[in-house]
Structure formats: C-alpha cells, structure tokens
Amino acid sequence: PKSGRRTMAEDTSHSEDDVQETKKSCWDCLPCYRPYAGDTTKLREIVVNAPYSQDPELLSRHQFMDNYVATTRYRWWNFIFKNLYEQFQKAANFYFLIMAIITSIPGVSTIPVYATVTPLAFVLAVTAIKDGIDDYKRYKNDRELNNRTVEVLVPGGDTQVLKWDQLQVGHVVKVKQDTNFPADLILLSSSEENGECGIQTANLDGETNLKIRQALKETVSLSPEHIAKVGSMTVKCERPHPQLYGFEGQLFMDDAHYALNPSHMLLRGAMLKETKFVYALVIYTGNQTKVMLNNDPPRFKQSHMDKVMNKQLYLIFILQFCIVFTCTVLSGWFYVNRAGKHWYFRIEDTSVAAGTQDAVTNFFAFYVLLSVMVPISLIVSMELVRLGQAVLINVDNRMYDSEDGKLAAARSTTLSEELGQIQYIFSDKTGTLTSNQMAFEKCSISGVMYGGTEKDTIGVNDSKRNKSGGDGSFDLKSQHKDGLLTEADRSHERRATRIPDMSTIDVDGDPRFCNMSDPALLFKLLEGDEAARSYVLALALCHTVSAVTDITRPGKVIYQGESTDEIALVTMASFHGVRFVSRERDVVTLVLPWVTQEGQQQHNDSKGAAASGGPGHRRSNTMGSRVQFKILQIMAFSSDRKRMAVIVQYPDGSIRVLIKGADDVMERRASKDPQVNSPDMWKTTHSHLFQFSREGLRVMLVGERVLDAKSYQEWSKRYAEASESFADKGDSRQEKMDRIAGEIEKDFKVLGVTAIEDKLQDGVPLTLKLLKKAGIKIWVLTGDKQNTAVNIGKSCGLIGWDYQLEYLRATTPEDVMKELKTIKQHLELSDKQGAALMVTGASLEVGLEDKTQELLFEVMNHPIVRVVVASRMSPKQKARVVTLVKTKLHVVTLAVGDGANDVSMIRAAHVGVGIRGKEGMQAANSSDYAISKFRFLTQLLLVHGTLSYNRNAILILYFFYKNIMMAVQQIYFVFVCGYSSEEVFDGYMLNTFNLCWTALPILLFSVFDRPANVDELLEFPQLYLSGLHGDLFNFRTFWISFFEAVVHGSVVWLMTWYTAHDMFDSYWVSSVATYTVVVLVANTKMAMITTTWFWFNALIIILTVLVYFGFIYLYCGPIGFSFSPWLFGVIQQVMARPMFYLVALWLCISVFLQDYLVYYVQRIFNPTLLMLVQECRNDTSKKQDLIYALNNKSARRKSTTTYTKAPNGRNNPGNTGMMGAKYPQHEAKLKMLAT
C-alpha cells in the first residue's frame, strides 16, 4: 500500500530549516498511511549508496517510497467494491437500485425480483467488465515497466543488475545509450570527458530534439569506485512535486557544497542519446517521480446532451410520481368501495385503515411497475455507441498525417456528440494555425534593414545554393550577378565589388531555418562594421543550441535545440559566415569570416590537427578565424521573463551581457541614454518592428551591455548564492535568480531586431472559412505581438479585410472601461458585416476584474464581433478566459493548441483538442482528441461531430419512445385490473424487450447511419447549425417524441387489447399479443428513422423480428414452463387467430404512414437544410443553386430572381432554380439559413 502513498507537499515553498518536522496527519497511526522516515523533514537528504550501508541509524532515516509504479485505478481486493461505488454515483443506476430493493420486499410488488435486478446487473456488469479491461491493460503496462532491469553500482565499483521496482533512493545507476531512465536521477558523470549527455524527452513532452544535460564539474572525473562508496556524497533537495522542469538542490562533497538545478536532472521516462553511458544518483522513485506526479487520472467530462437528458429525466420522475400517486389513491378508493363486491378478491376488511395500508403497499409496487419509463439500458448503449464513434475517429484516413504517420486519436469516449455542438473555438496561433517551422526572414541592425525585398534576397533554393551535399557553400560572385541586397541606397554595385576575393562561404545548419542570406550584411561584417558584428555575434552566442555532426555532409554540423527560434537565429549567423561549430562545457567555438588576432593564433595552432584530420576538425575559411568565447553565465528564457541572456567573456577579455527577448519587455529595460540608443535609431527600429509585424513575422529585440570585471564579480557572487539557496516563505530559488538576473538585464544597447516567419499550416484558411460558415465563433489567444497576430489572422482569412477593427490596449480599470464604452458605441453604429476585437494580455487582465467584466463580455459577444484576438497572453490568462466564457455565456467551448502553455486552456474547455507539434506532446496528452494538423478540425467537427450529434440525439429519443410506449400498456392495465399492482407483462419479457428485441438495430444505426455523406457535410458546413443550436435534442423534441410514444402506445393498447379480449379468455394471451405488437411497432419505427441502409442493419432488423418469434414460441412452450408456467401454450393461441396478424399489420402500417406523412408535409412546407441537401444529392444543378444561395452574400438582400442565376452568371431559361419556380416556398427558409 505504501507504494501508492503520496506524502509530499504540493508546493515547494519551505524554509531553510531542513529538519523541521512536517505536520502530522490523523492517519499516521495506520502503517499504510504513515509517512516515510525520509519524507518527514522539509528537505529530502539522500546519502549515496545508503541502501548498502550497515549503519542501522542511517537505514532507519533513509526510508523512501520504492520504485514500484502503479497507474491502475483498482487493486484485486477492492475492484468490486470501488467499481460499484463509482457506478452508483450515477443517478439512473441509483434509481434502479432503489427499484430492485423495493421489488425484493415480500408482498410489495407482484413483479419478480429478477425483473428489475437482471437489467441493473447487466448494466453494472458490462460497465465493470469495460473498466476492468481498461485497468488490466494499465496493469500489464505497469508490470512490463517494473520488470525492466538496470545496472546499479555496489560498494567497490562493481555493478549489480536490479529490476526497476527494486531500485531505492540513494542507489547509483549506470544507464546505457538508447535506454530509458528508471527513476528521477542526478547526473554524476558520463562517458564524455566534459560530463555532458544527450537525452530525448519524447515520452515526457513529445519533443524528439536532443537536449543536453550537464554533470557538475566536481563529479565528472570521479571513478566508479569513489562514487560507489557509501556516504561519498550527500544530496539535499526539495521534496517531490509535479513541476516537470523545476528542481532545487545541493550536493555536499568534501566539506563543500554545489548547487543543483534542472540541467543536472534526468527524468524517468527520458532516453539517453548520443552518450555511451552515464552514472547517476536516484533521488525520486515510483509514484513520486515527476512523470508520475504529472500523470493525471482520466478526467470525466459530461456532454451537453447528457445534461439536457438529465433535466428531462427529472421531469419524468415528477410525472412518474404524479401517475403513481394517482394510481395509489384510486387503489385505496377501489379497495374500500369496490373490492368487497368481488368475491374472488376474498377481502373481508374493507375499512379505511385497511385500504390505506393496501394503498401504501401499492405505492411502491406502482413505482416498480412504471420504472420502465426510465430506460436503464440507455446508459450502457450510450457508452457502447460512443466507443464505436471513437473508433471511427481513430481509423478515419482523412485525418491521417503523412509527416508523423499518425491518425487522429480519441482520448475521451464520452464527448463524441459534444463535437457537434461547439459554439466557441479558442485557438493558439504558433504551432496551431502556423506550422512552427521557423525561418529567419529579415533583420534590422541599428536602423538598417537587411533581407528587405524578394529581388534583393538570396532565397534558399536549389538554383542558388547546393543543398544536397558538397560543402554546403554558395558562390558570392554568381549571386552578385543576380542582383543582391544592399543597404537600400544606390551604392550597391560599388560596394558589392569591394567584397574580398572569397570564392565560397562555409554554411552549417539546416537551410530550412533561414530564408535570408544577404551579401550586404556579409560585406558589413568583413568591412568591420561594429554594429553588424555585435549583432551577428549575439545571435551566434546567445542560445542553448548544440552542434551535432551532420552525417549527410561530412565536416558540417547541424543545430539541435529546445527552441526552433534559436535554431533559426544561429542558422542565420552561419549563413553570413559566423559559424557556431562546437560547445564544450562553458566554451563556445565560432568560425568568423574575418581575421582576428586571437582567432588567427588559434587558427594557426589548429592547422596541424586539421592537416592530420584530427578529431573535431572542420574546414574554416581561408580568410576566417576560429575563436573561442567563454560562457560565464546563462539566464534561460522563461514565459514570465520573456527574455534570455548570456554573459560572455570575449577573447579580448571584455565581459558582455547579450540579451534577446520580446520587444515590449526589451524596450522597457533598454538604456534610455540617447548616447547609447539614439532617438533616430528608435524611430527607424519602431518602423521596422511595425513593418515586420504587419507581415506576420515574429519579432525580437537583441541587445548588448558591457560589464567591468568588478561589477560582474559582485553580481556573480550574489547570483551564485541565489542559485544555491532553497525556497523560503518569500521567494523560490528561481524567483531569487530572476530578480538578480533582472539587475543586469537592463540599460543595454539595442543592437537590432530579428524577424522570423512561422508559416501557416496547409489548409488553415479553408478550415477557418468552413468553421465560420458553420456558425462557430473563433478566438485566438496567443503570446505573440498584437500586430503579428492580427496580420496572421488576416492572411489566414480569420479576419476579413473588410472587418471593422477595434483595439483594447488600456491598462488601468478607468481607461479600460472608457475604451470598452467607446468600442461598444462604434459597434452599434457600424454598417459593416463583421468586426474583430483586438485585446492585449495586460488589458484583458484588467478587463476580467469584476467592475469591467460584464461590459467586456458584452462587447466580445456583440452580434457583429466575429473574431477576438488576444495577444501577449499567459497560460493562466488563456485558461481564465475560456472558463469565464464557458460559465458566463453558457456556451459549448473547444480549445485547441499544440504546446505545454496551452494545456491549461485545453483542460478548461468543454472539449480539448491537442495538436501533435514541434512543441511536444503535452497538449495532445492532456486533450480529449489529438490530431496532427489544424485542418483536421473540419473533419473532426463538421463530419464526426455532426454525425455523432444526429445519431446520439435519435438514439436517446428512440429509447424513451419505445420505453414510454411500453409503460403506457402498464398504465392502461391499471384501470382494467381493479387498480391493483398486477403486471401486464411477464418479468422475462420486460427484461428482453430492451436487451434483445430493440437493442441491436439502434446500436448499429447510432454508429453507421449517415443522413449526409462526408462530402456533403463539408460542402454545406451550415448543416452543423442543427447541433450548434441543439435542434434535434431539446425540451421540445424530447416531449414531442414522448407524446408520440403515448399516442402510439394508446393505439396499440386499444386495438390489441380489446380485439384480443374479444377473442381470448386469458389475460396472458392478450398480454403476449400486445407485447408482440409493441416489438413489431418499435422495429417499424426503427426502420422509419434509418436514413442510410446497409445490408447489415437491414438484416439485423429482420433477424431481430424472426428471432423474437422463435424465442416467444419456445418460451411459451416446455422450455419456459419452469420460469413462467402461466404462459404455457399462450403463443399458439395467439398465432392461431388471423385477426392478430391483421391488427399487427394495421398498427405497423399506421406508424409507417404517420411518420411518412409528417416527413412529407415537412419536406413540402418547412424543409430543413438537411432535407434540401438530400434532395440535391443526385442533381448537380440543384446543388450548385443551393450552394450559391447559401454562400453568396448578395443573395441575402436580393429577390428570388437572384437565386435563379446560375453560379457561372448565365441565366437558365426554363429552369429558374431551386428557389425560383420549382421551390418558391423555400425562399424564406433559405434566406434565413443563409443569414
């Protein structure tokens, strides 16, 4: 039991006192709930190889959770009890449990116990089996993981093989290449001399790029014998918490301590790559590892249709109580006033007291008799149908992505019909609407733009660059002949001819990451322009990218990193001669296209190694230099800081802070001294920022600050203290580090601007167009700059070029209120068809406050506001917006994103869709549905969503229809049996009605029926409106179906019962005859609602009827005699009467004709769009007219003759179109649908 015990605090804030006891729980007296000895202090103290110690005191306090992992919901001993407890949380199951209990009370009900227990037991058993199978799969996966093996260092330096579940905190493991880490580890040393190792975290976040982890330099050179010595090192760290990339710790060795951070950590589930082996210390095990703490249990989301159905159930419960109460009163009245007159009742006491007692007993019996009004089999049928619909999503080839080789994945099986009712879509931009394939396009350096026009830019194409191999170089002379970019002045040719005589420039990196290669910039670099050199050097040094040998191009490297933006920046520097070629611990080596004194010496020293082809040799330019830069400190990028900085010691000894980040943050922190950043530079830079943003490019500012050695030493000391500290009540370690980093990340000189293109995904404009036609409102919530988001929105068609644009940029409550009122007035006076609202994250934070929240949502939900674009949004703000829209507007929402920053938004929405992208799998793993491309949303929503909504709506209505029709027979029977609680049908007959004779046809219908085919659903996205508005399943349609069942049940009772009463002398004969007719009528109704006939659903309906007659014949014979002897020989009497066949045939035809007449009248006088689409199915001319009527804006304002013109502009004499001559009555309907 302890292996599943989570005793750690959820937050990481604790004091420096690592011996303070944690608060005791009232459960600590129980052994299975008692905290582990090692987790009773605020900090976890881990002694190397303590499990091999002979010291009892050390072993007693060094107790932690074992490495056994269990992701199952149940254990073998609690499965039945826990599963039943979960199932009885559902109202319907609990209701039937009460009915079963009432039935089992002797003398209360005439219905045998099995009549109510059997269907309940069936539903519970099916659900339990499904849950058990799912849990067994999890158990098998757990067993496979727990039985994996790993080598463990034992004292003396030898290794011992242990299973994963035998690992303990304090063990030192040896993990080999291409194997997964068995627990959360601290890297001590590796097969690489510098202590680095490469890891792949695809199992954690889906990212396949190589990430570098670094061991402390103090432990890199330690031998296995020294490491394996018990107590050679001690680690103090925070207790387990779910923050995947958060870790604070210290390593104590030889009376010294060293800070540990996430760069030293190897997480369980990650894989070792590009490294032969590593030695690492186990710090977190089992369910306390970070991957397990982030392994959320399956989330339960209830669909909107379920909620509507529950409301109708409450009304049925009320109606049921009214009927039962009426029957109870009549039962008591009959007992007192009439029962004594009928000798066969053998009632002697007809007093009021006796009548009251009999009525009370009958009250519960009537409840049991009328429990058929609530179809218990509907619950399990819905689960099976949704499972089938999820399978159809999983195997849909239209959502197959050839790039990742994956289909869509339905991770939730309870929301299929919810896909057909989406009203609001909240979408991320980067990686969702765009491809997250970054390519460097342009830049601005000290107010000068490079890569400005297409004709002046060397595109990365086959005609200008050798992509395939060779040395990856391009010829400057030949490019010059084509006309290359200059500084936008008229001295281009003169200066271009002054480029030094260099035939080739070496290029590293993947050409896909850079579309700019500007000889004017290269000329500036070679000429010695300080601004250009500082800018390009900053791009080549301020990053965490690693250089990996390119196996396809010998002597070249490609760049790998956690951020594709950084790869694009480093590639751009490489394309202009500043090549990043290696990183060795804290030394970065660049090859520069110009000659430096320091680089020339290093270059000369490396000639011998180059000539001999020594390790690490790369051919450098004859006029270039290989220069080493020392990285003193890296302040990594974070979404809170929105910037990254490195402190670099240049070869000349100078110390510089290189910083890059979001333009709004960087501008606030840049130097205000006009001597450093001149007003002219700012004016030009702002102009370039605006231009880049209008083109939809991602922009960043790059800056540089020079430090003196004394200032750096003082700052470095304080930063080191912060990096070695633990969280306290005030700040966490990271907050302390960020605050001290901010002290040096200011007052810098702005070097320039980067502009990176994130291309739109294929099919995004068409997808957004179809979704908008379907009536879905789309909001974009992004962290990008506002102008960038707006122009991406325009380029993809989300924002119409004729839309009225309104901006909300204020940051104070008063200003926000004022701007909102102004925007509202503009919208009310606008004569445009649509408007788009642009909001910044800062404005939205203020607007979501109580004072302005109502007005904000009034503006956002204005009728002409088609799109809302919120920029500079944090993950928490995204989730908050989704939650508020969901609760305030009471709409069905969908959130779609591809990154870890979208997880909160995805979980907050009714339906979460994750896109498998370059930012990892965290979004997909947290979603209800996972797809590979944004364009697949059309197939998911417009096809699967529409069909699932239609199918499930009819499924629910049909189930209630047939059950109410059955309940009507019992209600009428009360009036002919002396208001007693006698049942009209045998118990087994009641049970088999839902389970056998009406189950399979509706199940097949709900999975395979297609009222419109896939192409029609995409051609006419307006078909989605039926689900968006809830037209098929709502209060009106439910009660129409309810009263239709009452009418049909009444006709069946009157025709069958009274006809049979004249023919037969036994009420059981009449019962079987009535039951048979109900089965036939229910299957006739099923045939009428089927719109798509396959051979199997026609066969199932026919076989159901045939098998029923075989069953009833055997059940009323010798086989059923032991169960229901009163039915013996009954069916023979029924089948012997020709009148029975006539009545049954007449009733089935009546139902058929009634439905046919209703459908016919509706198609003639009030057709739905679906009916019009079906009518156009085989007529191309009609289909074109209908598409024209729905899509042409002018058709909404013009007369009927507008619709008679064909889409090609030609008039069709003799055929005035669908709305002209043949269907003039549809004009108003089509205009409404078009609007």
Side-chain angles (χ1 to χ4, degrees):
K2 274 192 173 183
S3 63
R5 168 74 170 145
R6 288 174 59 174
T7 59
M8 61 289 182
E10 284 299 320
D11 59 354
T12 60
S13 58
H14 43 68
S15 64
E16 292 286 348
D17 184 9
D18 59 347
V19 298
Q20 181 179 349
E21 299 259 335
T22 58
K23 185 176 180 180
K24 292 186 177 181
S25 168
C26 60
W27 297 101
D28 290 350
C29 57
L30 299 177
C32 60
Y33 283 97
R34 191 172 299 151
Y36 296 93
D39 282 331
T40 56
T41 57
K42 288 293 184 181
L43 295 179
R44 173 175 283 203
E45 183 175 338
I46 303 164
V47 179
V48 169
N49 261 347
Y52 294 106
S53 174
Q54 303 298 322
D55 184 359
E57 181 183 354
L58 175 59
L59 292 175
S60 65
R61 61 183 172 85
H62 204 275
Q63 295 180 9
F64 302 95
M65 178 180 290
D66 58 36
N67 203 39
Y68 178 83
V69 166
T71 61
T72 56
R73 295 171 58 189
Y74 310 103
R75 301 290 187 269
W76 65 268
W77 49 271
N78 72 354
F79 172 76
I80 294 177
F81 307 103
K82 188 175 181 180
N83 187 264
L84 287 177
Y85 173 77
E86 291 173 350
Q87 292 199 60
F88 284 122
Q89 302 299 308
K90 300 178 181 178
N93 287 347
F94 186 75
Y95 170 81
F96 278 96
L97 175 64
I98 299 300
M99 293 299 103
I101 293 174
I102 294 175
T103 306
S104 64
I105 300 176
V108 172
S109 174
T110 58
I111 294 181
V113 176
Y114 62 77
T116 52
V117 172
T118 302
L120 176 62
F122 176 79
V123 171
L124 296 178
V126 169
T127 306
I129 291 172
K130 174 180 173 293
D131 293 341
I133 292 174
D134 291 342
D135 212 49
Y136 182 69
K137 292 178 181 178
R138 287 189 284 266
Y139 166 75
K140 288 177 63 178
N141 183 59
D142 292 343
R143 184 175 60 183
E144 189 273 329
L145 288 175
N146 291 322
N147 287 334
R148 290 184 183 179
T149 59
V150 66
E151 294 184 32
V152 176
L153 280 181
V154 298
D158 296 330
T159 60
Q160 175 187 6
V161 176
L162 294 179
K163 292 182 179 180
W164 278 21
D165 62 1
Q166 295 175 324
L167 279 182
Q168 299 180 35
V169 173
H171 274 145
V172 178
V173 296
K174 181 181 181 181
V175 181
K176 297 183 179 179
Q177 185 172 344
D178 296 329
T179 58
N180 294 99
F181 300 118
D184 288 350
L185 315 171
I186 290 296
L187 179 62
L188 299 178
S189 64
S190 73
S191 57
E192 303 296 321
E193 293 183 0
N194 58 5
E196 289 184 347
C197 73
I199 66 170
Q200 187 182 80
T201 58
N203 290 338
L204 302 177
D205 53 23
E207 297 181 13
T208 56
N209 51 309
L210 192 69
K211 299 178 181 178
I212 303 299
R213 294 294 181 262
Q214 181 86 51
L216 290 170
K217 61 182 180 181
E218 290 76 15
T219 64
V220 168
S221 59
L222 296 180
S223 65
E225 293 80 6
H226 187 279
I227 294 175
K229 183 180 179 182
V230 175
S232 60
M233 287 173 280
T234 300
V235 170
K236 287 187 178 181
C237 62
E238 56 194 356
R239 291 169 61 185
H241 60 78
Q243 296 178 15
L244 203 59
Y245 299 110
F247 176 73
E248 298 178 4
Q250 290 180 335
L251 184 143
F252 295 82
M253 183 178 65
D254 299 333
D255 298 328
H257 63 275
Y258 311 96
L260 297 173
N261 55 56
S263 66
H264 303 118
M265 198 171 188
L266 309 174
L267 299 181
R268 178 188 174 110
M271 180 178 288
L272 184 64
K273 288 287 187 180
E274 305 293 336
T275 309
K276 293 181 179 179
F277 64 85
V278 296
Y279 290 109
L281 173 67
V282 178
I283 56 170
Y284 302 131
T285 50
N287 287 343
Q288 291 184 340
T289 55
K290 293 183 179 293
V291 65
M292 295 305 299
L293 294 179
N294 281 277
N295 187 21
D296 293 333
R299 296 170 291 117
F300 175 74
K301 289 185 178 181
Q302 189 178 30
S303 71
H304 182 71
M305 186 175 287
D306 284 338
K307 296 175 182 177
V308 174
M309 184 178 69
N310 288 338
K311 293 179 181 178
Q312 311 313 316
L313 278 176
Y314 297 145
L315 296 177
I316 286 183
F317 290 154
I318 296 173
L319 178 61
Q320 184 184 28
F321 174 80
C322 295
I323 296 174
V324 168
F325 183 78
T326 302
C327 292
T328 301
V329 173
L330 292 174
S331 172
W333 172 85
F334 184 86
Y335 187 94
V336 174
N337 297 287
R338 296 288 182 89
K341 299 178 182 180
H342 300 278
W343 61 269
Y344 50 84
F345 282 149
R346 295 173 183 168
I347 296 176
E348 298 179 356
D349 184 6
T350 58
S351 63
V352 174
T356 302
Q357 182 180 357
D358 182 73
V360 171
T361 303
N362 284 338
F363 176 83
F364 296 102
F366 285 137
Y367 251 117
V368 175
L369 289 173
L370 296 180
S371 62
V372 70
M373 294 177 68
V374 181
I376 187 174
S377 55
L378 174 61
I379 300 171
V380 67
S381 297
M382 288 285 286
E383 290 193 11
L384 293 175
V385 164
R386 286 166 172 166
L387 180 62
Q389 292 166 350
V391 171
L392 291 180
I393 292 175
N394 293 339
V395 299
D396 188 350
N397 288 327
R398 293 194 179 214
M399 291 190 285
Y400 173 78
D401 182 47
S402 57
E403 292 184 11
D404 64 6
K406 293 181 180 179
L407 293 161
R411 298 172 52 83
S412 172
T413 59
T414 61
L415 300 172
S416 54
E417 70 273 11
E418 197 85 332
L419 293 172
Q421 296 185 278
I422 302 301
Q423 296 166 278
Y424 279 74
I425 290 179
F426 298 90
S427 174
D428 179 39
K429 182 186 74 68
T430 305
T432 304
L433 300 178
T434 59
S435 62
N436 204 14
Q437 175 59 56
M438 307 301 178
F440 197 102
E441 289 289 337
K442 303 176 183 180
C443 66
S444 171
I445 304 175
S446 295
V448 178
M449 184 189 300
Y450 297 91
T453 61
E454 183 179 356
K455 74 172 187 175
D456 293 331
T457 303
I458 300 177
V460 182
N461 52 59
D462 293 335
S463 65
K464 296 181 181 180
R465 174 164 300 154
N466 178 10
K467 283 185 180 181
S468 59
D471 56 3
S473 59
F474 62 90
D475 185 46
L476 287 177
K477 294 181 179 179
S478 62
Q479 296 296 342
H480 170 61
K481 294 177 182 179
D482 296 334
L484 304 176
L485 177 67
T486 66
E487 294 179 353
D489 60 17
R490 292 171 294 183
S491 61
H492 159 64
E493 274 202 49
R494 182 179 67 254
R495 288 184 300 134
T497 56
R498 292 164 52 196
I499 295 178
D501 186 14
M502 299 164 48
S503 60
T504 60
I505 292 292
D506 283 350
V507 175
D508 286 313
D510 190 338
R512 293 178 301 173
F513 287 97
C514 184
N515 291 334
M516 169 188 161
S517 192
D518 191 341
L521 176 58
L522 181 59
F523 171 78
K524 282 285 189 180
L525 295 175
L526 297 175
E527 194 179 44
D529 185 88
E530 182 180 354
R533 288 188 176 184
S534 297
Y535 176 87
V536 178
L537 282 175
L539 299 187
L541 292 170
C542 185
H543 59 81
T544 57
V545 171
S546 58
V548 181
T549 301
D550 188 349
I551 59 175
T552 63
R553 297 186 301 167
K556 300 297 175 184
V557 298
I558 57 174
Y559 302 127
Q560 294 187 351
E562 300 184 24
S563 169
T564 52
D565 290 88
E566 287 194 332
I567 296 176
L569 297 177
V570 177
T571 305
M572 178 270 184
S574 171
F575 276 30
H576 294 83
V578 181
R579 297 164 46 217
F580 164 59
V581 293
S582 70
R583 181 192 297 272
E584 296 180 1
R585 204 164 185 88
D586 55 356
V587 175
V588 169
T589 302
L590 303 181
V591 174
L592 308 179
W594 63 85
V595 179
T596 65
Q597 182 177 357
E598 299 84 358
Q600 186 62 44
Q601 179 61 40
Q602 295 175 14
H603 176 64
N604 293 334
D605 294 342
S606 65
K607 281 185 179 179
S612 61
H617 164 62
R618 295 182 181 88
R619 184 173 63 88
S620 65
N621 223 303
T622 51
M623 295 188 64
S625 304
R626 181 182 293 266
V627 181
Q628 292 183 339
F629 297 81
K630 186 174 183 180
I631 306 299
L632 302 177
Q633 193 60 254
I634 297 178
M635 285 80 81
F637 176 87
S638 70
S639 57
D640 294 329
R641 284 161 35 83
K642 296 184 179 180
R643 61 187 184 274
M644 175 200 175
V646 296
I647 303 179
V648 185
Q649 185 175 23
Y650 277 46
D652 60 3
S654 63
I655 299 175
R656 308 189 187 191
V657 181
L658 306 178
I659 181 172
K660 64 184 180 185
D663 57 307
D664 56 338
V665 175
M666 294 283 287
E667 189 170 343
R668 290 197 303 266
R669 306 187 70 86
S671 175
K672 305 301 187 292
D673 187 350
Q675 299 297 323
V676 178
N677 296 312
S678 67
D680 291 339
M681 184 277 299
W682 274 124
K683 181 179 179 180
T684 311
T685 299
H686 283 151
S687 173
H688 291 163
L689 278 170
F690 182 75
Q691 178 179 339
F692 295 159
S693 298
R694 282 185 58 86
E695 296 174 12
L697 303 177
R698 295 161 59 91
V699 296
M700 284 194 303
L701 281 179
V702 182
E704 178 188 65
R705 177 183 176 184
V706 179
L707 293 177
D708 59 80
K710 182 178 179 181
S711 299
Y712 168 73
Q713 292 297 333
E714 293 177 353
W715 177 90
S716 177
K717 182 178 180 181
R718 292 188 295 115
Y719 190 80
E721 291 175 353
S723 66
E724 295 175 0
S725 67
F726 286 102
D728 52 33
K729 295 181 180 180
D731 296 317
S732 66
R733 172 192 287 185
Q734 190 61 50
E735 289 172 339
K736 296 176 184 177
M737 294 170 63
D738 290 347
R739 185 173 60 252
I740 296 175
E743 297 176 4
I744 207 170
E745 296 171 332
K746 63 180 182 179
D747 299 333
F748 51 81
K749 175 181 176 61
V750 174
L751 299 177
V753 181
T754 67
I756 297 176
E757 179 187 16
D758 188 4
K759 299 180 180 178
L760 284 176
Q761 288 189 19
D762 293 337
V764 167
L766 178 59
T767 299
L768 294 173
K769 180 180 179 181
L770 292 175
L771 293 176
K772 289 198 293 183
K773 284 184 178 180
I776 302 173
K777 285 195 172 185
I778 302 172
W779 290 18
V780 175
L781 310 180
T782 179
D784 272 349
K785 189 177 176 65
Q786 190 174 72
N787 286 340
T788 302
V790 170
N791 286 281
I792 287 290
K794 288 185 176 181
S795 63
C796 68
L798 179 64
I799 302 175
W801 292 98
D802 59 342
Y803 276 15
Q804 176 176 325
L805 300 185
E806 295 291 343
Y807 292 87
L808 179 62
R809 293 169 172 163
T811 56
T812 63
E814 296 77 13
D815 292 341
V816 167
M817 180 69 75
K818 183 178 179 180
E819 282 194 8
L820 285 173
K821 291 179 179 179
T822 303
I823 293 172
K824 184 180 178 181
Q825 291 177 356
H826 291 170
L827 295 175
E828 291 174 349
L829 298 175
S830 175
D831 59 350
K832 295 196 174 183
Q833 295 294 323
L837 179 63
M838 313 298 156
V839 188
T840 64
S843 301
L844 195 60
E845 186 69 26
V846 178
L848 292 176
E849 295 178 359
D850 294 337
K851 295 181 180 179
T852 55
Q853 189 180 105
E854 185 175 349
L855 181 58
L856 175 65
F857 277 95
E858 187 177 346
V859 170
M860 286 181 165
N861 202 42
H862 195 277
I864 72 166
V865 174
R866 307 291 177 83
V867 177
V868 175
V869 177
S871 57
R872 296 304 191 196
M873 296 282 288
S874 67
K876 289 183 179 179
Q877 286 178 324
K878 291 182 180 182
R880 191 178 176 195
V881 168
V882 174
T883 302
L884 286 173
V885 170
K886 182 173 65 174
T887 54
K888 292 286 184 182
L889 303 181
H890 304 289
V891 292
V892 183
T893 59
L894 179 146
V896 54
D898 74 313
N901 61 328
D902 302 317
V903 170
S904 299
M905 174 178 69
I906 288 172
R907 288 179 173 172
H910 289 100
V911 179
V913 176
I915 294 180
R916 308 182 190 100
K918 295 180 174 62
E919 292 189 26
M921 289 287 288
Q922 289 190 24
N925 292 338
S926 301
S927 66
D928 302 302
Y929 296 90
I931 57 178
S932 298
K933 292 290 184 291
F934 183 82
R935 68 175 184 270
F936 295 153
L937 270 184
T938 54
Q939 186 75 7
L940 186 65
L941 299 185
L942 303 187
V943 177
H944 289 282
T946 302
L947 292 177
S948 295
Y949 173 77
N950 279 266
R951 295 162 177 167
N952 292 0
I954 295 175
L955 168 71
I956 296 174
L957 295 177
Y958 177 74
F959 258 90
F960 277 99
Y961 165 84
K962 62 188 180 66
N963 276 59
I964 295 302
M965 188 168 57
M966 180 68 76
V968 166
Q969 314 306 312
Q970 182 64 58
I971 294 172
Y972 278 116
F973 186 68
V974 170
F975 292 90
V976 300
C977 69
Y979 307 106
S980 67
S981 57
E982 187 68 29
E983 71 275 13
V984 67
F985 300 123
D986 177 73
Y988 280 110
M989 294 166 64
L990 278 174
N991 290 342
T992 55
F993 177 74
N994 279 320
L995 298 180
C996 301
W997 318 130
T998 57
L1000 282 179
I1002 187 62
L1003 290 180
L1004 291 177
F1005 168 90
S1006 301
V1007 176
F1008 296 108
D1009 190 71
R1010 288 202 304 263
N1013 59 46
V1014 175
D1015 293 332
E1016 289 170 345
L1017 291 168
L1018 296 177
E1019 279 184 297
F1020 299 95
Q1022 294 87 351
L1023 289 170
Y1024 190 83
L1025 291 169
S1026 63
L1028 189 144
H1029 296 150
D1031 293 337
L1032 297 183
F1033 185 70
N1034 50 45
F1035 180 88
R1036 183 182 63 88
T1037 57
F1038 180 87
W1039 288 100
I1040 288 176
S1041 178
F1042 182 93
F1043 287 113
E1044 183 184 27
V1046 171
V1047 172
H1048 288 184
S1050 301
V1051 174
V1052 168
W1053 168 264
L1054 294 173
M1055 290 299 301
T1056 309
W1057 188 266
Y1058 283 103
T1059 302
H1061 181 71
D1062 294 336
M1063 292 186 295
F1064 309 124
D1065 58 355
S1066 168
Y1067 104 84
W1068 283 113
V1069 177
S1070 302
S1071 172
V1072 171
T1074 306
Y1075 182 84
T1076 302
V1077 171
V1078 170
V1079 170
L1080 294 174
V1081 169
N1083 281 279
T1084 302
K1085 183 70 173 180
M1086 183 70 252
M1088 286 302 300
I1089 64 178
T1090 301
T1091 60
T1092 307
W1093 284 96
F1094 301 99
W1095 65 267
F1096 50 82
N1097 60 351
L1099 180 64
I1100 284 296
I1101 292 179
I1102 295 172
L1103 285 180
T1104 297
V1105 175
L1106 294 178
V1107 172
Y1108 164 73
F1109 279 104
F1111 162 80
I1112 201 68
Y1113 185 83
L1114 295 175
Y1115 187 65
C1116 294
I1119 294 179
F1121 184 78
S1122 58
F1123 302 100
S1124 305
W1126 47 83
L1127 294 179
F1128 185 78
V1130 168
I1131 191 61
Q1132 287 83 353
Q1133 299 181 53
V1134 174
M1135 304 292 286
R1137 298 286 184 172
M1139 182 59 70
F1140 165 76
Y1141 299 100
L1142 183 61
V1143 170
L1145 180 62
W1146 184 86
L1147 287 170
C1148 292
I1149 293 176
S1150 299
V1151 171
F1152 170 81
L1153 290 176
Q1154 180 252 319
D1155 284 352
Y1156 185 82
L1157 180 62
V1158 170
Y1159 294 155
Y1160 180 79
V1161 171
Q1162 185 178 13
R1163 282 182 180 271
I1164 292 298
F1165 296 104
N1166 188 29
T1168 63
L1169 179 60
L1170 177 60
M1171 293 177 179
L1172 297 176
V1173 171
Q1174 291 171 342
E1175 189 173 347
C1176 298
R1177 183 165 294 168
N1178 298 318
D1179 192 326
T1180 304
S1181 176
K1182 288 183 181 180
K1183 181 182 289 186
Q1184 290 176 346
D1185 288 340
L1186 181 58
I1187 293 175
Y1188 183 77
L1190 291 172
N1191 295 342
N1192 194 294
K1193 291 182 180 180
S1194 62
R1196 304 177 188 177
R1197 306 188 189 95
K1198 296 183 180 180
S1199 64
T1200 306
T1201 56
T1202 304
Y1203 298 95
T1204 67
K1205 186 178 289 293
N1208 58 13
R1210 291 179 295 140
N1211 291 319
N1212 296 327
N1215 179 12
T1216 55
M1218 290 187 60
M1219 297 187 61
K1222 193 171 181 181
Y1223 304 101
Q1225 65 274 22
H1226 299 343
E1227 179 180 358
K1229 183 72 174 180
L1230 261 182
K1231 282 187 176 180
M1232 183 271 290
L1233 288 170
T1235 304

